Amino acid sequence: NRSRRSVHPSGADAAVTDDRQYVSPGRFEPATVAELDRDVPSHTDAVGRDFATAVGGPVGRHALVGFQPLYTPLRIVLLVALVMLAMGWFTKAGCLQQAPDGAGGEILDWQNDRPYTAMCYTDTVPLYHAERLDEGVMPYFSHFYDKGPTGKPELRYMEYPVVTGMYQYVAMRIAKAWTVLHDRYHVPGALEVVLFFNVAAVGLALMWLLAIWATTRLSAGARRPWDAMLMAVSPLVAVQIFTNFDAISVAATAVAMLAWARRRPVWAGIAIGIGTAAKLYPVFLLLVLLVLCIRVARLRAWSTAVAATVATWLVLNLPLIVFARPGWWEFFHRNATRPVDIDSIYNVVSSFTGGWILGGAGPDGGASAVANGVTLVLFLIVAAGVGYIGFTAPTRPRVAQLMFLLVAGFLLVNKVWSPQYSLWLVPLAVLAIPHTRILLAWMTIDALVWVPRMMYFHGVANKGLPEQAFTATVLLRDVAVVALCALIVRQIYRPDEDLVRATFPGPYSAPLDDPHGGVLDGAPDVRGGSSGVRGGSPAPSADESEPAGTRT
């Protein structure tokens, strides 16, 4: 009941006690109440303040933030992302040019090291021929012969996981259908490989927009929806988004984290299963959630997510396991035999010391047993270290913090760090450590590694760069990622420095625990640390399956 003073119909001032609710005559939006505590970058962030000054000044301190029906943070972020995706296509456009083939036809103009001098290289174009997609065959069921590392013919299949491989197959079928339309009905056309690239690029752009949507929703749950702008404007998007097909797994991971944050472990598991069938790293989210769920004794939600992950992965992979096992196994075989990549820390050390530190090449020209063993042991050490941090931190770490540490640690010690793998870290970094200048500095360094890489491939004889000029930039990128990891660890042990857990001025500005944690958010610690609850009383622990939206 509320007690208030009112004017009696007779005109007398009387005390009235009732249980009626008094609301605005306009439409009531409960979500807008929380907007009173939304972070405003033009007030709290130096970069945001400078940008706002250039376009008209910061938001007024008495503005009704959150009541704009059209220009919402999500729509503006997606609009900016479209601009960056267009830039990403233009960075690859130089490798889509056609040239006469000397017989009255046209070929793709990759002559004179054009992919390296124009810095437009993309795996999508050579894969169209290398994986025999141009022949219209079904991946995994058909094989071909190619030269192996030793120069001998080698039996080959599609070397990508099932979701990525079938994505290429669908793009190929659309490209061939477009070619038929061009031949029969004279619709505008191009070389079939160019059509394949464009079709694949459209799908990858949609995947990246999906990842941005999920990341924006996650950031909004932490009262920081504008943090996702860092993902939209990332220089890595302009350089690497269309280099390969990693946007699929990035989108799946982001959606899985959003589903978990909304207390939907089944949907989280489905997204993880799809992501793992496209690339391995999304399954790392289950390892992170295991550590945190053990700490608060909430294993039922984690078990549900694991079951959904396994079921989804089996649904996608089982047909190939049964009917095309050699083709399905190719991905795992290739990863085991793949040599140490030039972007790995091992090659960086070797380039400056003049010695190979991982036992040289294997008998088939691929990675040696020493290389595979060292990378596996180092990753297990990284995983154990992340688990130790998760159990011993005084305040329970956030999901995004541990996920970034695990994925970054995997990339740092892995024998392969393809340049597009850096896209994996972008949404995780935005959620884990939303410091604008720090993240923009790291992403710019990482994106610029592409320039010496292309010039190194061009060759010193062609006025390119020597190996050490390239590996020095790789080392700089690794140092930047290690610095991010160190800063995250510092904020885990000093949670008052965590921007996500900061208190904003406003009537609802209690410190947050983990807005991305789902059933973990606000839960009291059972094992490890002191308490995962900040700024309020412990959350009830009786029911893990509490529906989304029932807690504030």
Side-chain angles (χ1 to χ4, degrees):
N1 292 341
R2 291 185 179 181
S3 205
R4 64 183 179 87
R5 305 292 294 181
S6 68
V7 179
H8 193 271
S10 62
D13 187 18
V16 179
T17 301
D18 59 35
D19 58 358
R20 290 177 295 175
Q21 295 183 357
Y22 299 90
V23 299
S24 167
R27 186 179 64 173
F28 178 61
E29 294 286 356
T32 61
V33 175
E35 302 292 347
L36 297 173
D37 292 331
R38 181 202 284 181
D39 177 55
V40 180
S42 59
H43 293 170
T44 61
D45 184 82
V47 176
R49 187 182 306 111
D50 293 342
F51 178 79
T53 300
V55 296
V59 175
R61 295 189 178 276
H62 299 286
L64 291 177
V65 177
F67 286 84
Q68 171 56 252
L70 181 60
Y71 298 109
T72 62
L74 175 60
R75 291 174 180 174
I76 295 176
V77 169
L78 290 176
L79 181 62
V80 174
L82 285 173
V83 175
M84 293 301 294
L85 288 168
M87 292 180 63
W89 186 89
F90 279 113
T91 62
K92 306 301 183 184
C95 286
L96 306 179
Q97 304 301 311
Q98 301 174 187
D101 63 357
E106 291 184 326
I107 59 173
L108 200 65
D109 186 8
W110 275 39
Q111 306 172 70
N112 302 318
D113 282 347
R114 184 186 184 95
Y116 309 137
T117 56
M119 301 184 187
C120 59
Y121 177 82
T122 169
D123 288 334
T124 309
V125 171
L127 283 175
Y128 190 65
H129 302 284
E131 302 290 352
R132 302 304 190 267
L133 292 168
D134 56 328
E135 300 174 6
V137 298
M138 173 67 75
Y140 309 107
F141 289 89
S142 58
H143 65 271
F144 54 92
Y145 288 91
D146 200 359
K147 288 185 178 180
T150 59
K152 297 180 180 179
E154 186 179 42
L155 184 65
R156 292 281 310 277
Y157 294 88
M158 166 68 72
E159 64 180 83
Y160 283 86
V162 56
V163 169
T164 304
M166 294 311 297
Y167 178 85
Q168 295 178 63
Y169 176 76
V170 171
M172 174 267 290
R173 298 310 311 178
I174 296 175
K176 287 187 175 296
W178 192 282
T179 301
V180 171
L181 292 176
H182 170 69
D183 294 339
R184 293 183 180 179
Y185 304 106
H186 307 290
V187 299
L191 292 176
E192 195 170 278
V193 65
V194 175
L195 293 174
F196 172 74
F197 172 86
N198 287 331
V199 171
V202 169
L204 294 174
L206 293 176
M207 290 295 103
W208 189 253
L209 292 176
L210 176 62
I212 289 180
W213 169 80
T215 305
T216 305
R217 293 303 188 192
L218 287 165
S219 298
R223 306 179 297 204
R224 304 179 59 89
W226 290 109
D227 286 347
M229 185 64 77
L230 292 170
M231 184 176 175
V233 302
S234 172
L236 284 167
V237 177
V239 178
Q240 303 297 356
I241 188 64
F242 301 130
T243 299
N244 205 285
F245 305 96
D246 293 71
I248 302 173
S249 56
V250 173
T253 304
V255 171
M257 294 183 68
L258 178 61
W260 179 266
R262 293 184 172 181
R263 301 171 183 247
R264 299 289 187 265
V266 173
W267 287 106
I270 291 173
I272 294 173
I274 294 173
T276 306
K279 193 72 73 171
L280 177 64
Y281 90 95
V283 79
F284 293 167
L285 181 58
L286 291 178
L287 302 179
V288 169
L289 295 177
L290 175 61
V291 171
L292 298 176
C293 286
I294 290 176
R295 180 160 172 165
V296 299
R298 296 291 180 91
L299 287 173
R300 181 167 53 177
W302 180 81
S303 301
T304 302
V306 170
T309 299
V310 173
T312 303
W313 189 88
L314 285 175
V315 166
L316 295 172
N317 285 269
L318 197 57
L320 294 181
I321 295 175
V322 174
F323 299 108
R325 184 173 300 177
W328 173 81
W329 181 251
E330 181 77 359
F331 165 71
F332 302 96
H333 170 71
R334 283 287 161 186
N335 274 275
T337 60
R338 185 172 180 175
V340 174
D341 192 71
I342 63 171
D343 284 77
S344 69
I345 188 62
Y346 312 107
N347 184 61
V348 172
V349 174
S350 298
S351 70
F352 286 104
T353 61
W356 194 246
I357 63 173
L358 292 182
D364 58 354
S368 66
V370 174
N372 290 330
V374 168
T375 55
L376 176 61
V377 170
L378 288 179
F379 174 66
L380 293 177
I381 294 174
V382 167
V386 172
Y388 176 82
I389 293 172
F391 282 123
T392 62
T395 299
R396 188 180 61 255
R398 295 187 289 109
V399 172
Q401 290 175 321
L402 289 191
M403 186 62 175
F404 182 92
L405 292 178
L406 186 58
V407 175
F410 169 77
L411 291 175
L412 287 168
V413 303
N414 194 33
K415 65 179 181 179
V416 177
W417 186 334
S418 296
Q420 70 275 4
Y421 288 3
S422 297
L423 292 171
W424 304 357
L425 296 175
V426 174
L428 301 177
V430 168
L431 298 173
I433 182 171
H435 291 262
T436 305
R437 286 181 292 187
I438 294 174
L439 291 189
L440 287 179
W442 156 64
M443 290 186 288
T444 301
I445 292 172
D446 206 325
L448 289 177
V449 173
W450 186 251
V451 177
R453 180 188 179 94
M454 293 292 98
M455 297 307 296
Y456 167 57
F457 283 168
H458 189 47
V460 177
N462 297 319
K463 299 183 179 180
L465 293 176
E467 182 182 13
Q468 287 74 18
F470 163 62
T471 53
T473 59
V474 172
L475 181 61
L476 180 61
R477 177 204 64 190
D478 292 349
V479 170
V481 173
V482 170
L484 289 179
C485 293
L487 186 55
I488 290 174
V489 172
R490 174 187 173 92
Q491 292 186 357
I492 288 176
Y493 285 93
R494 297 183 181 183
D496 291 337
E497 299 179 9
D498 186 355
L499 293 181
V500 174
R501 284 174 162 156
T503 303
F504 299 126
Y508 303 96
S509 57
L512 298 176
D513 177 25
D514 185 0
H516 314 139
V519 298
L520 305 169
D521 186 25
D525 282 343
V526 175
R527 303 177 181 88
S530 56
S531 176
V533 181
R534 294 169 51 83
S537 58
S541 58
D543 187 8
E544 292 182 10
S545 59
E546 180 182 9
T550 59
R551 286 177 50 205
T552 57

